[in-house]
Amino acid sequence: MEHAAHDTHHRHPAAAHPEHAHRQPHGPVGWATAARATLHCLTGCAIGEVLGMVIGTALGWHNVPTMVLAIALAFAFGYALTLRGVLAAGVDFGTAFRVALAADTLSIAVMELIDNGVIALWPAAMDAQLSDALFWGALAASLALAFVATTPVNRWMIGRGKGHAVVHHYHH
């Protein structure tokens, strides 16, 4: 029995001792690590962004409420993906929620700023319908540009023990 507890401690050190989760190693972080963190963030953002744009466009909403819904859903899905992983490590909801906020807020904010800025500045993209190639093309391009712009932010944060560096203590 003691060995099983010891084994769990090695797989989930922060889950066993959440008070130590804030201690992060600092130092150089590779681009691959930053890209993986950004891809994780992009997945949640893209799900929320696409869903929000599809809902708002399908309901015939104007641009501002559609964009607000898309941004809100991007944050919700981005946090939800992180919460899922941290909760699976056996952490209580309150701690998991704080970890998700710390890990994802800046990354999602930068991603949404770039993504929505591209859509807003792209000629006619805000007025494109779901059946228009422009809708999907502009959305794909804006998400790709958001990924490129957010990866250095995540690299910088992880190197300082922030952002997705916090989440890594909860992974197997």
Side-chain angles (χ1 to χ4, degrees), residues 18-37:
E19 67 276 9
H20 298 296
H22 66 279
R23 296 182 189 163
Q24 307 299 325
H26 303 281
V29 175
W31 286 104
T33 300
R36 281 190 300 277

Side-chain angles (χ1 to χ4, degrees), residues 4-67:
H6 180 71
D7 186 47
T8 301
H9 174 73
H10 283 298
R11 278 185 280 147
H12 306 292
H17 302 285
E19 67 276 9
H20 298 296
H22 66 279
R23 296 182 189 163
Q24 307 299 325
H26 303 281
V29 175
W31 286 104
T33 300
R36 281 190 300 277
T38 306
L39 186 58
H40 177 268
C41 181
L42 178 69
T43 301
C45 286
I47 292 168
E49 190 76 31
V50 170
L51 186 59
M53 293 289 194
V54 167
I55 290 170
T57 302
L59 294 176
W61 289 1
H62 293 284
N63 292 336
V64 172
T66 297
M67 194 171 272

Side-chain angles (χ1 to χ4, degrees), residues 126-150:
M126 292 292 290
D127 297 319
Q129 298 298 308
L130 294 174
S131 59
D132 297 336
L134 176 60
F135 177 91
W136 297 104
L139 188 57
S142 70
L143 290 170
L145 290 170
F147 176 84
V148 170
T150 307

Side-chain angles (χ1 to χ4, degrees), residues 25-121:
H26 303 281
V29 175
W31 286 104
T33 300
R36 281 190 300 277
T38 306
L39 186 58
H40 177 268
C41 181
L42 178 69
T43 301
C45 286
I47 292 168
E49 190 76 31
V50 170
L51 186 59
M53 293 289 194
V54 167
I55 290 170
T57 302
L59 294 176
W61 289 1
H62 293 284
N63 292 336
V64 172
T66 297
M67 194 171 272
V68 168
L69 176 63
I71 292 168
L73 289 175
F75 272 92
F77 278 94
Y79 290 142
L81 288 180
T82 298
L83 272 172
R84 182 190 64 166
V86 176
L87 288 170
V91 177
D92 67 281
F93 183 81
T95 301
F97 187 72
R98 286 188 300 276
V99 167
L101 289 177
D104 293 333
T105 300
L106 182 59
S107 182
I108 295 171
V110 170
M111 194 161 285
E112 287 302 297
L113 179 68
I114 300 300
D115 172 41
N116 287 286
V118 168
I119 296 289
L121 295 174

